[in-house]
Amino acid sequence: MTRRSSFAAGARDTLPMVIGAAPFGVIFGTLVAAGPLAAWQGQLMSLSVYAGSSQFIALGLVAGHAGLAVIWLTTLIVNLRHALYAATLLPHVAHLPARWRWTLGFFLTDETFAVMAGYYARHPRAPLGHWYFLGSCLSMYANWQFWTLVGLLFGAAFPQLQSLGLDFAMVATFIAIVVPQLASLPNFAAAVAAGAVAYLGQDVPYKLGLMAAVVAGVAVGMALQRWRSGGLEAGRQEEAA
Amino acid sequence: MTGTVLTNTVMILGMAAVTVFVKAALFVLGDRVVFPPLLKQALGFVPVTVLTAIIVPMILSPNGEGLELTWRNPQLVGALAAVLACVVTGKQLLTIAVALGVFFVWQLGVLA
Protein backbone atom coordinates (compact mmCIF):
# COMPACT_ATOMS: atom_id res chain seq x y z
CA MET A 1 0.00 0.00 0.00
CA THR A 2 1.50 3.34 -1.03
CA ARG A 3 0.23 6.81 -0.10
CA ARG A 4 -1.18 7.18 -3.57
CA SER A 5 -3.00 3.83 -3.59
CA SER A 6 -4.34 4.45 -0.11
CA PHE A 7 -5.63 7.89 -1.20
CA ALA A 8 -7.18 6.35 -4.31
CA ALA A 9 -8.84 3.59 -2.26
CA GLY A 10 -10.40 6.21 0.03
CA ALA A 11 -11.74 8.14 -2.95
CA ARG A 12 -13.03 4.93 -4.57
CA ASP A 13 -14.80 3.68 -1.44
CA THR A 14 -16.53 7.07 -1.13
CA LEU A 15 -17.90 6.92 -4.68
CA PRO A 16 -21.45 5.83 -3.72
CA MET A 17 -21.61 8.76 -1.29
CA VAL A 18 -20.37 11.08 -4.01
CA ILE A 19 -23.21 9.95 -6.25
CA GLY A 20 -25.69 10.33 -3.41
CA ALA A 21 -24.56 13.85 -2.52
CA ALA A 22 -24.55 15.17 -6.10
CA PRO A 23 -28.29 15.97 -6.38
CA PHE A 24 -28.19 17.82 -3.07
CA GLY A 25 -25.34 19.99 -4.34
CA VAL A 26 -27.41 20.86 -7.39
CA ILE A 27 -30.50 21.54 -5.27
CA PHE A 28 -28.47 23.75 -2.95
CA GLY A 29 -27.10 25.75 -5.88
CA THR A 30 -30.58 26.04 -7.38
CA LEU A 31 -32.03 27.34 -4.11
CA VAL A 32 -29.25 29.93 -3.79
CA ALA A 33 -29.88 31.12 -7.35
CA ALA A 34 -33.57 31.53 -6.54
CA GLY A 35 -33.00 33.27 -3.17
CA PRO A 36 -31.56 36.44 -1.69
CA LEU A 37 -27.88 35.38 -1.64
CA ALA A 38 -25.53 36.24 -4.50
CA ALA A 39 -24.34 33.26 -6.55
CA TRP A 40 -20.72 33.68 -5.40
CA GLN A 41 -21.93 33.62 -1.80
CA GLY A 42 -23.57 30.24 -2.43
CA GLN A 43 -20.26 28.90 -3.69
CA LEU A 44 -18.43 30.57 -0.78
CA MET A 45 -20.77 28.76 1.62
CA SER A 46 -20.06 25.39 0.00
CA LEU A 47 -16.32 26.12 0.03
CA SER A 48 -16.02 27.42 3.59
CA VAL A 49 -18.92 25.97 5.64
CA TYR A 50 -19.04 22.64 3.79
CA ALA A 51 -21.85 21.01 5.78
CA GLY A 52 -24.91 20.27 3.66
CA SER A 53 -27.79 20.31 6.15
CA SER A 54 -26.65 23.52 7.84
CA GLN A 55 -26.24 25.16 4.43
CA PHE A 56 -29.85 24.35 3.51
CA ILE A 57 -31.13 25.49 6.89
CA ALA A 58 -29.19 28.76 6.63
CA LEU A 59 -30.88 29.51 3.31
CA GLY A 60 -34.25 29.08 4.98
CA LEU A 61 -33.24 31.29 7.89
CA VAL A 62 -31.89 34.03 5.59
CA ALA A 63 -35.13 33.98 3.62
CA GLY A 64 -36.98 34.31 6.93
CA HIS A 65 -34.81 37.32 7.95
CA ALA A 66 -33.33 35.56 10.99
CA GLY A 67 -30.56 37.41 12.85
CA LEU A 68 -26.88 36.41 12.71
CA ALA A 69 -26.86 35.00 16.24
CA VAL A 70 -29.80 32.70 15.46
CA ILE A 71 -28.13 31.46 12.27
CA TRP A 72 -24.80 30.81 13.99
CA LEU A 73 -26.40 29.06 16.96
CA THR A 74 -28.48 26.91 14.62
CA THR A 75 -25.33 26.04 12.67
CA LEU A 76 -23.67 24.99 15.91
CA ILE A 77 -26.55 22.73 16.95
CA VAL A 78 -27.10 21.20 13.51
CA ASN A 79 -23.37 20.44 13.14
CA LEU A 80 -22.82 19.20 16.68
CA ARG A 81 -22.86 15.59 15.50
CA HIS A 82 -19.49 16.20 13.83
CA ALA A 83 -17.90 16.59 17.27
CA LEU A 84 -19.13 13.09 18.01
CA TYR A 85 -17.56 11.86 14.77
CA ALA A 86 -14.29 13.59 15.66
CA ALA A 87 -14.31 12.02 19.13
CA THR A 88 -14.89 8.58 17.64
CA LEU A 89 -12.13 8.90 15.02
CA LEU A 90 -9.67 10.73 17.29
CA PRO A 91 -7.65 7.64 18.37
CA HIS A 92 -6.79 7.08 14.69
CA VAL A 93 -5.59 10.62 13.97
CA ALA A 94 -4.19 11.87 17.30
CA HIS A 95 -0.63 10.92 16.31
CA LEU A 96 -0.65 12.95 13.05
CA PRO A 97 1.02 16.36 12.59
CA ALA A 98 -1.22 19.35 13.35
CA ARG A 99 -1.70 20.33 9.70
CA TRP A 100 -3.14 16.88 9.00
CA ARG A 101 -5.52 17.10 11.95
CA TRP A 102 -6.77 20.57 10.89
CA THR A 103 -7.25 19.35 7.33
CA LEU A 104 -9.08 16.13 8.14
CA GLY A 105 -11.22 17.98 10.71
CA PHE A 106 -12.26 20.65 8.24
CA PHE A 107 -13.29 18.03 5.66
CA LEU A 108 -15.24 15.81 8.07
CA THR A 109 -18.77 14.94 6.87
CA ASP A 110 -21.42 12.29 7.61
CA GLU A 111 -20.32 10.41 4.52
CA THR A 112 -16.60 10.43 5.22
CA PHE A 113 -17.27 9.47 8.83
CA ALA A 114 -19.26 6.46 7.61
CA VAL A 115 -16.49 5.42 5.23
CA MET A 116 -13.80 5.88 7.89
CA ALA A 117 -15.78 4.02 10.58
CA GLY A 118 -16.03 1.09 8.17
CA TYR A 119 -12.37 1.37 7.19
CA TYR A 120 -10.99 1.48 10.75
CA ALA A 121 -13.26 -1.41 11.75
CA ARG A 122 -11.50 -3.49 9.06
CA HIS A 123 -8.00 -1.98 9.44
CA PRO A 124 -7.59 -0.68 13.00
CA ARG A 125 -3.83 -0.11 12.65
CA ALA A 126 -3.41 0.99 9.02
CA PRO A 127 -0.26 3.17 8.93
CA LEU A 128 -1.45 5.06 5.83
CA GLY A 129 -5.05 5.37 7.00
CA HIS A 130 -4.83 9.16 6.93
CA TRP A 131 -4.17 9.09 3.17
CA TYR A 132 -7.28 6.96 2.73
CA PHE A 133 -9.12 9.49 4.95
CA LEU A 134 -7.86 12.37 2.78
CA GLY A 135 -8.92 10.58 -0.40
CA SER A 136 -12.43 10.24 0.97
CA CYS A 137 -12.46 13.90 2.09
CA LEU A 138 -11.22 15.42 -1.14
CA SER A 139 -13.50 13.40 -3.41
CA MET A 140 -16.52 14.50 -1.34
CA TYR A 141 -15.32 18.11 -1.28
CA ALA A 142 -14.59 18.39 -5.01
CA ASN A 143 -17.93 16.76 -5.73
CA TRP A 144 -19.85 19.18 -3.48
CA GLN A 145 -18.16 22.21 -5.06
CA PHE A 146 -18.80 20.97 -8.58
CA TRP A 147 -22.49 20.22 -8.10
CA THR A 148 -23.07 23.45 -6.17
CA LEU A 149 -21.70 25.29 -9.19
CA VAL A 150 -23.84 23.26 -11.58
CA GLY A 151 -26.90 24.12 -9.49
CA LEU A 152 -25.99 27.81 -9.41
CA LEU A 153 -25.56 27.93 -13.18
CA PHE A 154 -28.12 25.46 -14.53
CA GLY A 155 -30.30 24.52 -11.54
CA ALA A 156 -33.54 25.53 -13.18
CA ALA A 157 -32.93 22.82 -15.83
CA PHE A 158 -33.24 19.94 -13.29
CA PRO A 159 -36.66 20.32 -11.70
CA GLN A 160 -37.22 16.64 -10.76
CA LEU A 161 -33.80 15.81 -9.36
CA GLN A 162 -34.92 14.73 -5.89
CA SER A 163 -37.40 12.16 -7.22
CA LEU A 164 -34.57 10.20 -8.91
CA GLY A 165 -33.69 8.79 -5.49
CA LEU A 166 -29.92 9.04 -5.94
CA ASP A 167 -29.61 9.47 -2.18
CA PHE A 168 -30.36 5.76 -1.93
CA ALA A 169 -26.68 5.21 -2.80
CA MET A 170 -25.89 6.59 0.65
CA VAL A 171 -28.44 4.30 2.31
CA ALA A 172 -26.96 1.27 0.54
CA THR A 173 -23.42 2.16 1.60
CA PHE A 174 -24.38 2.80 5.22
CA ILE A 175 -26.11 -0.59 5.32
CA ALA A 176 -22.97 -2.27 3.95
CA ILE A 177 -20.96 -0.60 6.73
CA VAL A 178 -23.41 -1.20 9.59
CA VAL A 179 -24.67 -4.75 8.99
CA PRO A 180 -21.32 -6.53 9.60
CA GLN A 181 -21.17 -4.82 13.03
CA LEU A 182 -24.61 -6.09 14.07
CA ALA A 183 -23.33 -9.57 14.90
CA SER A 184 -22.72 -8.46 18.48
CA LEU A 185 -25.89 -8.24 20.58
CA PRO A 186 -25.09 -4.86 22.24
CA ASN A 187 -24.41 -3.31 18.81
CA PHE A 188 -27.60 -4.82 17.40
CA ALA A 189 -29.73 -3.52 20.26
CA ALA A 190 -28.04 -0.11 20.04
CA ALA A 191 -28.87 0.10 16.33
CA VAL A 192 -32.50 -0.93 16.89
CA ALA A 193 -32.94 1.68 19.64
CA ALA A 194 -31.24 4.41 17.58
CA GLY A 195 -33.31 3.58 14.51
CA ALA A 196 -36.57 3.64 16.47
CA VAL A 197 -35.83 6.98 18.15
CA ALA A 198 -34.58 8.48 14.87
CA TYR A 199 -37.79 7.42 13.15
CA LEU A 200 -39.99 8.86 15.88
CA GLY A 201 -37.93 12.05 16.10
CA GLN A 202 -37.44 12.74 12.41
CA ASP A 203 -39.52 15.93 12.48
CA VAL A 204 -37.71 17.39 15.48
CA PRO A 205 -35.80 20.48 14.23
CA TYR A 206 -32.01 21.07 14.18
CA LYS A 207 -31.22 17.35 13.83
CA LEU A 208 -31.90 16.98 17.54
CA GLY A 209 -33.90 13.81 16.81
CA LEU A 210 -30.69 12.33 15.40
CA MET A 211 -28.74 13.31 18.52
CA ALA A 212 -31.47 11.81 20.75
CA ALA A 213 -31.30 8.63 18.68
CA VAL A 214 -27.55 8.35 19.20
CA VAL A 215 -27.87 8.95 22.94
CA ALA A 216 -30.63 6.31 23.22
CA GLY A 217 -28.68 3.80 21.12
CA VAL A 218 -25.45 4.29 23.05
CA ALA A 219 -27.31 3.96 26.38
CA VAL A 220 -28.98 0.71 25.32
CA GLY A 221 -25.72 -0.69 23.94
CA MET A 222 -23.76 0.15 27.08
CA ALA A 223 -26.46 -1.20 29.40
CA LEU A 224 -26.41 -4.52 27.53
CA GLN A 225 -22.62 -4.67 27.49
CA ARG A 226 -22.57 -4.03 31.22
CA TRP A 227 -25.26 -6.55 31.93
CA ARG A 228 -23.35 -9.17 29.92
CA SER A 229 -19.95 -8.51 31.47
CA GLY A 230 -21.65 -8.35 34.90
CA GLY A 231 -23.18 -11.76 34.15
CA LEU A 232 -19.78 -13.12 33.13
CA GLU A 233 -18.11 -11.83 36.26
CA ALA A 234 -20.84 -13.29 38.44
CA GLY A 235 -20.33 -16.58 36.59
CA ARG A 236 -16.59 -16.49 37.22
CA GLN A 237 -17.12 -15.74 40.88
CA GLU A 238 -19.48 -18.68 41.18
CA GLU A 239 -16.92 -20.91 39.50
CA ALA A 240 -14.22 -19.64 41.85
CA ALA A 241 -16.45 -20.32 44.84
CA MET B 1 -20.60 45.98 -1.24
CA THR B 2 -24.10 46.88 -0.07
CA GLY B 3 -25.13 46.33 3.54
CA THR B 4 -27.05 43.10 2.91
CA VAL B 5 -24.28 41.56 0.83
CA LEU B 6 -21.79 42.37 3.55
CA THR B 7 -24.05 41.03 6.31
CA ASN B 8 -24.62 37.81 4.38
CA THR B 9 -20.88 37.39 3.79
CA VAL B 10 -20.24 37.86 7.51
CA MET B 11 -23.01 35.33 8.17
CA ILE B 12 -21.36 32.76 5.89
CA LEU B 13 -17.88 33.26 7.35
CA GLY B 14 -19.31 33.03 10.87
CA MET B 15 -21.05 29.76 9.97
CA ALA B 16 -17.72 28.51 8.60
CA ALA B 17 -15.92 29.43 11.83
CA VAL B 18 -18.55 27.67 13.98
CA THR B 19 -18.48 24.57 11.77
CA VAL B 20 -14.69 24.32 11.63
CA PHE B 21 -14.62 24.63 15.41
CA VAL B 22 -17.15 21.81 15.89
CA LYS B 23 -15.47 19.54 13.35
CA ALA B 24 -11.78 20.17 14.01
CA ALA B 25 -11.43 21.15 17.70
CA LEU B 26 -11.01 17.61 19.03
CA PHE B 27 -8.69 16.60 16.18
CA VAL B 28 -6.54 19.68 16.77
CA LEU B 29 -6.30 18.97 20.51
CA GLY B 30 -5.17 15.47 19.56
CA ASP B 31 -3.22 13.68 22.29
CA ARG B 32 -4.16 16.35 24.81
CA VAL B 33 -7.68 14.90 24.96
CA VAL B 34 -7.96 11.82 27.13
CA PHE B 35 -11.36 10.21 27.33
CA PRO B 36 -12.33 8.31 30.49
CA PRO B 37 -12.93 4.57 29.86
CA LEU B 38 -16.70 4.91 30.15
CA LEU B 39 -16.78 7.58 27.43
CA LYS B 40 -14.49 5.49 25.24
CA GLN B 41 -16.89 2.62 25.58
CA ALA B 42 -19.80 4.93 24.69
CA LEU B 43 -18.00 6.26 21.60
CA GLY B 44 -17.59 2.69 20.41
CA PHE B 45 -21.34 2.65 19.79
CA VAL B 46 -21.39 5.90 17.80
CA PRO B 47 -20.83 4.53 14.28
CA VAL B 48 -23.49 1.85 14.44
CA THR B 49 -26.06 4.15 16.09
CA VAL B 50 -25.55 7.32 14.06
CA LEU B 51 -25.43 5.56 10.69
CA THR B 52 -28.58 3.61 11.52
CA ALA B 53 -30.28 6.76 12.81
CA ILE B 54 -29.52 8.63 9.57
CA ILE B 55 -30.90 5.98 7.23
CA VAL B 56 -33.92 4.55 9.07
CA PRO B 57 -36.18 7.58 8.38
CA MET B 58 -34.92 7.65 4.76
CA ILE B 59 -35.98 4.01 4.37
CA LEU B 60 -39.26 3.96 6.31
CA SER B 61 -40.68 7.33 5.25
CA PRO B 62 -38.76 8.36 2.14
CA ASN B 63 -41.23 11.11 1.30
CA GLY B 64 -41.40 12.46 4.84
CA GLU B 65 -45.11 11.65 4.91
CA GLY B 66 -45.41 8.88 7.47
CA LEU B 67 -44.63 5.18 7.50
CA GLU B 68 -44.45 3.45 4.10
CA LEU B 69 -44.25 -0.23 5.06
CA THR B 70 -45.25 -1.46 1.63
CA TRP B 71 -43.71 -3.23 -1.36
CA ARG B 72 -44.36 -0.02 -3.30
CA ASN B 73 -41.58 1.73 -1.32
CA PRO B 74 -38.37 1.24 -3.39
CA GLN B 75 -36.14 2.47 -0.55
CA LEU B 76 -37.51 -0.24 1.73
CA VAL B 77 -37.20 -2.98 -0.89
CA GLY B 78 -33.68 -1.84 -1.80
CA ALA B 79 -32.64 -1.67 1.86
CA LEU B 80 -33.93 -5.20 2.54
CA ALA B 81 -31.99 -6.40 -0.50
CA ALA B 82 -28.87 -4.67 0.87
CA VAL B 83 -29.20 -6.31 4.29
CA LEU B 84 -29.74 -9.71 2.71
CA ALA B 85 -26.81 -9.30 0.29
CA CYS B 86 -24.55 -8.14 3.10
CA VAL B 87 -25.47 -11.05 5.40
CA VAL B 88 -25.13 -13.65 2.64
CA THR B 89 -21.98 -12.41 0.87
CA GLY B 90 -20.28 -10.21 3.49
CA LYS B 91 -18.89 -8.15 0.61
CA GLN B 92 -19.30 -4.39 0.80
CA LEU B 93 -19.10 -3.43 -2.86
CA LEU B 94 -21.34 -6.29 -3.95
CA THR B 95 -23.90 -5.26 -1.30
CA ILE B 96 -24.00 -1.71 -2.64
CA ALA B 97 -24.26 -2.90 -6.23
CA VAL B 98 -27.09 -5.34 -5.46
CA ALA B 99 -28.98 -2.73 -3.43
CA LEU B 100 -28.69 -0.06 -6.14
CA GLY B 101 -29.68 -2.58 -8.81
CA VAL B 102 -32.79 -3.68 -6.92
CA PHE B 103 -33.66 -0.08 -6.06
CA PHE B 104 -33.51 1.23 -9.62
CA VAL B 105 -35.17 -1.84 -11.17
CA TRP B 106 -37.95 -1.42 -8.62
CA GLN B 107 -38.33 2.30 -9.15
CA LEU B 108 -38.00 2.35 -12.93
CA GLY B 109 -39.29 -1.11 -13.82
CA VAL B 110 -41.68 -2.62 -11.31
CA LEU B 111 -43.41 0.58 -10.21
CA ALA B 112 -43.27 2.49 -13.48
Side-chain angles (χ1 to χ4, degrees), chain A residues 32 41 51 54 56 93 104 133 140 156 194 217 231:
Chain A
V32 169
Q41 289 178 316
S54 65
F56 279 102
V93 304
L104 297 178
F133 199 150
M140 279 306 289

Side-chain angles (χ1 to χ4, degrees), chain B residues 3 12 15 20 22-23 25 31 44 48-49 51 53-54 61 67 71 73 79 82 84 88 91 104-105 108:
Chain B
I12 291 166
M15 284 178 67
V20 170
V22 173
K23 287 183 180 180
D31 281 329
V48 75
T49 52
L51 300 182
I54 289 174
S61 42
L67 192 60
W71 64 272
N73 173 355
L84 196 66
V88 171
K91 293 202 168 65
F104 283 110
V105 164
L108 306 172

Side-chain angles (χ1 to χ4, degrees), chain A residues 37 41 50 68 72 75 79 83 86 94 101 105-106 108 122 163-165 168 177 187 191 198-199 202 210 222 225, chain B residues 5 8-9 11-12 14-15 19 22-23 26-28 31 41-42 45 52-53 56 61 67 75 78 92 99 103 107:
Chain A
L37 291 186
Q41 289 178 316
Y50 186 50
L68 286 181
W72 290 339
T75 304
N79 287 333
R101 285 179 276 127
F106 173 80
L108 203 52
R122 280 174 281 128
S163 64
L164 270 179
F168 184 75
I177 292 168
N187 272 0
Y199 176 76
Q202 59 182 311
L210 181 66
M222 288 186 73
Q225 209 167 47
Chain B
V5 175
N8 285 336
T9 305
M11 180 239 352
I12 291 166
M15 284 178 67
T19 307
V22 173
K23 287 183 180 180
L26 282 172
F27 275 11
V28 170
D31 281 329
Q41 197 192 4
F45 286 104
T52 307
V56 163
S61 42
L67 192 60
Q75 268 85 357
Q92 198 172 15
F103 175 78
Q107 194 173 40

